[in-house]
């Protein structure tokens, strides 16, 4: 069984999770296991503490000082593998970098690891094979709660209800927002396992034996009502299958664009959540100037297609074009998207 706590945005859902980790640290570990690890390039929200847990320099810039006790671990983008990385076994290598940080910080001080299943706004980064198994081993070894932020992937975006279901992950805590009511109502959820829920119980201190959070709209019934209808529609219209089918089609079409345009360095994605990195040179992988991705977005927009891109996240890596078509997208819709991109690339970044 799992337990659900409602709020109104992804940032807030994550804040609740962080508060839970802190309260559990206080209750079970005398306050010691209070640190929360987050990953370079991940985003977890707009409030000061959610930004404290965010691995995007430019998005955080000018908003410090940040909440203490949040510690960054290295990213796991294979295309941008760190110097000295084991490229044969990059997933395991990248996960082992998390263990290194845990050992540096002291495992007795680390309460949770907060990760996106697929880094979204940080550049559509799917962790490589071997990563998640090793991450889970590490969390178990050091008694660290695994918090998966499903604010983007949650409720169908990648072709399963949750992104983590692709990787056999058993999270302790899950947060979700955007897809809960497909954007029609402001609702987010912080979900925990029954085991985590039980950690709040304290027969000796009944005034403190629950998650002591309070919020004006936390109990608003409009959001859950919209969420229930949304989930029913996803089921009735087999939208998870549609996402898988159209997602594969979209990825294939983006790879065709890669064959056509040298500026596309790497195509990535899962389900109806895809993107590609733009580079000056495929050998050096030097990112294009931000003006190129901006121009591609503007060109698509002028042709009626709203295109996403990494934006104000990292000064040097605002070079990823990304797209999240509606879960009901048809093959014809995908063709419209790809045609807009094709036209934009031909105009903005034709081969030399
Ligand atoms: C992965 C992730 N987590 C959290 C958030 C924050 O959600 P919100 O903007 O609803 O506060 C976002 C927003 O884009 C996100 O992408």
């Amino acid at each position: 069984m799992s337990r659900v706590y409602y709020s109104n945005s992804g940032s807030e859902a994550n804040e609740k999770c962080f508060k839970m980790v802190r309260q559990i640290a206080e209750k079970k570990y005398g306050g010691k296991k209070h640190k929360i690890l987050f990953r370079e390039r991940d985003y977890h929200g707009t409030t000061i503490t959610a930004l404290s847990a965010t691995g995007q320099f430019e998005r955080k810039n000018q908003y410090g000082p940040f909440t203490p006790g949040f510690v960054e671990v290295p990213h796991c983008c294979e295309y941008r593998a760190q110097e000295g990385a084991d490229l044969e076994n990059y997933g395991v290598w990248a996960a082992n970098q998390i263990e290194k940080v845990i050992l540096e910080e002291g495992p007795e001080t680390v309460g949770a690891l907060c990760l996106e299943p697929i880094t979204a706004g940080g550049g559509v980064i799917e962790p490589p094979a071997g990563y998640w198994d090793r991450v889970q081993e590490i969390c178990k070894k050091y008694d660290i709660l695994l918090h998966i932020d499903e604010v983007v992937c949650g409720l169908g975006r990648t072709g399963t209800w949750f992104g983590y279901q692709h990787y056999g992950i058993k999270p302790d805590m899950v947060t979700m927002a955007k897809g809960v009511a497909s954007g029609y109502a402001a609702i987010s959820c912080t979900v925990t396992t029954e085991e985590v829920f039980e950690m709040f119980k304290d027969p000796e201190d009944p005034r403190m034996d629950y998650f002591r959070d309070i919020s004006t709209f936390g109990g608003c019934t409009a959001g859950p009502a919209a969420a229930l209808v949304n989930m029913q529609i996803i089921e009735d219209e087999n939208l998870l299958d549609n996402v898988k089918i159209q997602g594969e089609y979209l990825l294939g079409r983006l790879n065709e664009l890669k064959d056509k345009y040298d500026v596309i360095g790497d195509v990535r994605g899962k389900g109806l959540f895809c993107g590609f990195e733009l580079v000056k040179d495929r050998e050096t992988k030097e990112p294009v100037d931000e003006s190129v991705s901006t121009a591609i977005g503007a060109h698509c927009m002028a042709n009626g297609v709203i295109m996403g891109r990494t934006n104000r996240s990292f000064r040097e890596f605002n070079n990823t074009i990304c797209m999240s078509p509606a879960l009901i997208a048809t093959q014809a819709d995908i063709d419209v998207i790809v045609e807009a991109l094709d036209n934009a690339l031909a105009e903005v970044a034709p081969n030399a």
Side-chain angles (χ1 to χ4, degrees), residues 185-197:
I187 175 171
S188 59
C189 307
T190 306
V191 182
T192 75
T193 59
E194 192 66 16
E195 288 76 24
V196 169
F197 178 77

Side-chain angles (χ1 to χ4, degrees), residues 74-314:
H75 72 74
C76 61
C77 179
E78 196 160 14
Y79 183 68
R80 297 276 171 202
Q82 296 86 341
E83 235 182 280
D86 173 5
L87 298 179
E88 296 289 298
N89 216 355
Y90 181 67
V92 173
W93 183 90
N96 284 341
Q97 304 317 298
I98 300 177
E99 185 175 35
K100 264 193 185 164
V101 174
I102 293 168
L103 293 172
E104 276 161 23
E105 293 293 321
E108 71 287 357
T109 68
V110 180
L113 171 64
C114 172
L115 299 174
E116 290 184 66
I118 297 172
T119 301
V124 193
I125 301 165
E126 184 182 14
Y131 184 80
W132 285 113
D133 285 350
R134 184 71 192 118
V135 163
Q136 292 194 101
E137 264 173 33
I138 292 167
C139 285
K140 267 214 179 83
K141 182 170 170 190
Y142 299 109
D143 197 14
I144 290 171
L145 295 170
L146 181 57
H147 164 190
I148 301 290
D149 177 345
E150 292 274 352
V151 168
V152 168
C153 294
L155 273 75
R157 171 64 40 210
T158 64
T160 47
W161 282 108
F162 297 104
Y164 73 75
Q165 290 171 314
H166 292 288
Y167 312 108
I169 304 171
K170 290 202 168 65
D172 301 291
M173 308 167 113
V174 174
T175 47
M176 60 195 89
K178 297 181 198 294
V180 177
S182 282
Y184 290 103
I187 175 171
S188 59
C189 307
T190 306
V191 182
T192 75
T193 59
E194 192 66 16
E195 288 76 24
V196 169
F197 178 77
E198 286 294 320
M199 290 180 192
F200 293 95
K201 300 262 176 76
D202 184 356
E204 282 170 23
D205 192 0
R207 287 175 64 83
M208 297 288 179
D209 80 342
Y210 62 102
F211 177 50
R212 292 186 346 281
D213 189 75
I214 189 161
S215 140
T216 301
F217 295 115
C220 177
T221 50
L228 286 173
V229 175
N230 179 53
M231 287 188 280
Q232 194 64 54
I233 292 171
I234 292 174
E235 273 184 0
D236 290 349
E237 300 188 12
N238 287 325
L239 294 185
L240 297 183
D241 286 344
N242 188 60
V243 169
K244 280 186 204 129
I245 293 163
Q246 302 307 337
E248 273 180 30
Y249 180 68
L250 174 58
L251 204 60
R253 298 272 352 245
L254 294 180
N255 274 305
E256 284 170 24
L257 289 181
K258 184 180 172 203
D259 292 341
K260 193 167 169 186
Y261 295 102
D262 294 343
V263 73
I264 300 181
D266 194 34
V267 173
R268 308 193 276 260
K270 193 137 204 119
L272 283 175
F273 180 52
C274 293
F276 51 81
E277 270 202 51
L278 299 163
V279 291
K280 286 184 184 163
D281 180 298
R282 281 193 182 170
E283 280 296 304
T284 64
K285 301 184 184 175
E286 187 186 344
V288 295
D289 294 331
E290 188 170 354
S291 58
V292 177
S293 46
T294 308
I296 289 172
H299 197 284
C300 290
M301 182 69 112
N303 286 296
V305 175
I306 301 171
M307 197 60 65
R309 63 191 172 87
T310 43
N311 183 22
R312 304 279 181 274
S313 316
F314 330 87

